Amino acid sequence: HVQLVESGGGSVQAGGTLRLSCVVSGSLYSNMCMAWFRQPSGKEREGVASITTRGAIAYVADSIKGRFTISQDSAKNEVYLQMESLEPEDTAMYYCAYAGDRVVRLWNRPSEYRYWGQGTQVTVS
């Protein structure tokens, strides 16, 4: 059984900073491909950033380039999303995703990831 728990969301003013964290626990695979997705209210879930098992950045959405950074601490089984210069358009539920035993071919496609957290809300005003 695999669990993902996100934290770090909240309400901030435009231009502010937040850092999201995701802890992965349970029966993990050697593959630690992870990603952050977000889903604004009433819209589809979209990929934000992805990172490979070895810590290489696999995907970054154009809308967040230069503002958000994905990173991981493999020893702690944690992945982070540092968000800076936040904009109202960044308001969404943010989800952590873990590929598990799946081979990821399209890093920003939700169906590539087997396990998901419950999400953490980010609101920018």
Side-chain angles (χ1 to χ4, degrees):
H1 182 61
V2 176
Q3 281 192 317
L4 284 72
V5 179
E6 304 100 333
S7 62
S11 296
V12 297
Q13 292 188 339
T17 298
L18 284 174
R19 186 180 191 234
L20 304 184
S21 298
C22 174
V23 180
V24 187
S25 63
S27 301
L28 305 182
Y29 299 87
S30 57
N31 170 15
M32 286 299 295
C33 296
M34 305 285 301
W36 286 97
F37 285 77
R38 67 184 183 185
Q39 188 166 16
S41 180
K43 296 184 179 181
E44 293 186 354
R45 193 167 298 190
E46 60 182 12
V48 175
S50 304
I51 193 165
T52 70
T53 301
R54 296 186 177 184
I57 307 303
Y59 172 80
V60 177
D62 289 340
S63 59
I64 59 93
K65 281 182 179 177
R67 300 188 299 120
F68 293 9
T69 303
I70 188 171
S71 62
Q72 69 179 26
D73 185 332
S74 298
K76 296 181 179 180
N77 292 326
E78 294 187 10
V79 64
Y80 312 101
L81 187 66
Q82 179 71 28
M83 305 188 295
E84 300 177 352
S85 301
L86 282 160
E87 302 169 353
E89 293 73 21
D90 296 318
T91 295
M93 185 71 79
Y94 282 71
Y95 296 92
C96 178
Y98 169 45
D101 59 350
R102 294 180 180 174
V103 176
V104 178
R105 292 182 172 85
L106 194 59
W107 292 91
N108 62 331
R109 183 164 61 190
S111 61
E112 299 282 325
Y113 298 86
R114 181 172 179 180
Y115 301 100
W116 291 81
Q118 293 299 307
T120 184
Q121 178 68 37
V122 172
T123 303
V124 185
S125 59

